[in-house]
Amino acid sequence: EGGGEGEGSGEVSEQEIMDIVKEHPVVVFSCDVCNLNMYCWAAITILETEVYGVKPHKVDLTEPMKATLQRMTKQTTAPFVYIKGKFVGGYDDGPEPWMGVVKIRNTEERDLALMLMDAYDNDTEYRVKGMHHHLKPSKIWRAPRRPDYYPKNTLPLQYCAALNLTW
């Protein structure tokens, strides 16, 4: 009976975590308390908005899972982001200087959009949204035509035809 209770609250093995990571192209291990600092939410949002069609698999962290991930990755804070089975850090940090979703997005050596497209099958084409896609206007702005801007035709219609004027 004691062994059964221990299994529910016991440690999560590295193999269990790697099975989750191998099953999905993009995995984010996020915590429930991130409404306080928003790092997990921000990392997921960047991953979802960088390339059309990317949906990261979100896994809610438990304490045993977090302890195993900290031991595996040498990172202490959530989120833990994996792309194509490779650990790429958290939101803006990681055990190596290049790690973090924000850092990868803003550097030229490692392109986040290419990493995400590579993680998915090549059967589907994913269009890159780009870094500042939200700043581009959705349609071209044109000034509305005001009726008082254009002069009214003051000539009678019979004179317009004679003078080759069209209104």
Side-chain angles (χ1 to χ4, degrees):
E1 284 184 46
E5 290 172 4
E7 287 176 12
S9 61
E11 275 197 34
V12 176
S13 70
E14 292 184 15
Q15 186 59 44
E16 289 175 274
I17 289 177
M18 291 314 293
D19 288 343
I20 295 170
V21 168
K22 288 176 185 173
E23 197 173 316
H24 304 280
V26 180
V27 180
V28 178
F29 292 92
S30 61
C31 56
D32 293 338
V33 295
C34 275
N35 55 358
L36 301 175
N37 59 22
M38 303 300 272
Y39 287 120
C40 294
W41 176 84
I44 290 167
T45 302
I46 288 173
L47 291 168
E48 287 177 342
T49 58
E50 190 69 18
V51 177
Y52 288 102
V54 171
K55 292 288 178 203
H57 179 70
K58 298 169 209 132
V59 179
D60 291 330
L61 275 176
T62 60
E63 283 303 317
M65 193 181 292
K66 186 174 182 180
T68 304
L69 280 165
Q70 287 173 341
R71 191 172 58 253
M72 286 171 63
T73 63
K74 310 289 188 274
Q75 178 174 310
T76 57
T77 59
F80 299 88
V81 181
Y82 283 84
I83 298 176
K84 199 176 178 181
K86 182 179 179 186
F87 178 66
V88 295
Y91 171 70
D92 61 353
D93 62 344
E96 295 182 34
W98 63 269
M99 288 185 162
V101 173
V102 173
K103 288 181 184 174
I104 296 170
R105 182 187 193 193
N106 294 334
T107 58
E108 294 177 10
E109 304 92 52
R110 294 176 176 82
D111 190 353
L112 181 62
L114 291 177
M115 289 175 78
L116 290 170
M117 287 188 287
D118 186 42
Y120 284 82
D121 293 334
N122 293 333
D123 299 340
T124 309
E125 281 191 26
Y126 292 91
R127 293 177 293 153
V128 177
K129 287 184 180 178
M131 195 181 290
H132 301 293
H133 59 89
H134 60 281
L135 300 177
K136 293 178 185 168
S138 58
K139 63 179 183 175
I140 297 171
W141 184 84
R142 289 194 175 99
R145 289 185 161 192
R146 298 185 326 229
D148 59 336
Y149 179 78
Y150 298 98
K152 292 193 189 265
N153 182 6
T154 56
L155 291 172
L157 288 177
Q158 66 261 21
Y159 295 120
C160 291
L163 296 170
N164 289 329
L165 296 175
T166 55
W167 244 266

